[in-house]
Amino acid sequence: MYICLEGIDGSGKSTQIELLMNWLNECGHEILRVFEPTDSQAGRLIRKMLQNPNATNENFQKTLALLFAADRIILMEKIQEAEDEGKIVLSDRCFYSSIVYQNGAEWIKEINKFAKKPDIVLLMDIEPETAISRCEGKDRFEDVYFLKKIRNRYLELADKEDFMVVNANNGLNKVHDDIKRVIAHKLGMCI
């Protein structure tokens, strides 16, 4: 099973993936944790570019979208291999991030056509002001106005794609319990 957590920066994806991974391990599942961008050469280039002051401008976004698509092709092999071994894949972001951050352009969908669609997508929905207070301030995307636009795009996409929306404004344990309920139901587990 391939599970992805999506959301704006500061929504708690990494923290919740860590908690989810620990819980699933305790339940006897083998886990592969992945993230986008990866630690491949393309991923490292993306991370560096995300710190550029022009990272949110349109042409820069096009370049990032192409790099993310290339990085994803590398990642898909790892995901498929893990699923073939019966592991649960937990991902911090997937191709939906490109659709949202690059405003859903058709060419974004085309360059990501080889990306595997997650079995479950959990959207960590949070107020941008709260998210900003959690961020480290490294990326150019950590701007309230920009994150409001991205949050709205995520919510629109969640409605179209049937994501599970989790209120990430709640406390850490409440969010974790909400996520566990969704995952337990999909895996036929009791919590």
Side-chain angles (χ1 to χ4, degrees):
M1 179 167 281
Y2 175 26
I3 302 168
C4 177
L5 272 68
E6 283 284 359
I8 62 175
D9 292 343
S11 62
K13 295 178 306 299
S14 299
T15 299
Q16 290 300 328
I17 285 177
E18 185 72 28
L19 293 171
L20 183 57
M21 185 173 70
N22 292 339
W23 174 66
L24 288 169
N25 276 328
E26 289 170 9
C27 293
H29 295 281
E30 286 189 66
I31 308 299
L32 171 66
R33 180 180 181 177
V34 297
F35 49 89
E36 292 190 13
T38 69
D39 58 1
S40 71
Q41 287 182 333
R44 288 191 298 274
L45 178 58
I46 291 167
R47 287 183 194 286
K48 183 177 179 183
M49 290 177 70
L50 288 172
Q51 297 176 29
N52 188 299
N54 296 316
T56 58
N57 84 30
E58 189 175 338
N59 284 332
F60 206 97
Q61 283 292 297
K62 289 176 183 173
T63 303
L64 283 171
L66 292 166
L67 287 169
F68 268 109
D71 194 36
R72 266 182 209 111
I73 289 172
I74 297 165
L75 183 58
M76 288 304 109
E77 188 174 317
K78 261 176 105 171
I79 290 172
Q80 188 60 56
E81 189 176 291
E83 285 190 311
D84 290 347
E85 294 171 0
K87 295 178 182 175
I88 294 175
V89 179
L90 298 178
S91 182
D92 186 334
R93 299 199 183 277
C94 67
F95 70 92
Y96 289 122
S97 287
S98 287
I99 291 171
V100 170
Y101 278 83
Q102 282 80 40
N103 203 13
E106 281 305 311
W107 72 272
I108 299 292
K109 294 173 186 167
E110 182 63 26
I111 64 173
N112 284 285
K113 69 182 179 183
F114 299 109
K116 181 175 174 53
K117 191 173 183 177
D119 299 299
I120 301 171
V121 179
L122 296 160
L123 174 59
M124 306 294 292
D125 183 40
I126 191 168
E127 294 294 329
E129 294 82 4
T130 304
I132 288 286
S133 71
R134 296 178 178 179
C135 291
E136 297 174 18
K138 292 181 188 173
D139 293 345
R140 297 298 168 192
F141 297 103
E142 294 166 2
D143 167 80
V144 172
Y145 173 74
F146 183 75
L147 290 181
K148 282 182 181 182
K149 287 192 319 188
I150 299 304
R151 178 184 183 221
N152 289 335
R153 290 178 194 161
Y154 263 125
L155 290 170
E156 288 172 15
L157 187 61
D159 192 44
K160 290 179 191 170
E161 295 288 335
D162 201 29
F163 297 170
M164 300 302 297
V165 179
V166 176
N167 184 348
N169 293 295
N170 290 327
L172 181 78
N173 293 330
K174 170 73 169 109
V175 173
H176 181 55
D177 287 344
D178 291 345
I179 290 171
K180 284 192 327 188
R181 270 192 284 287
V182 170
I183 301 303
H185 175 73
K186 295 286 186 176
L187 293 176
M189 300 167 49
C190 295
I191 55 171

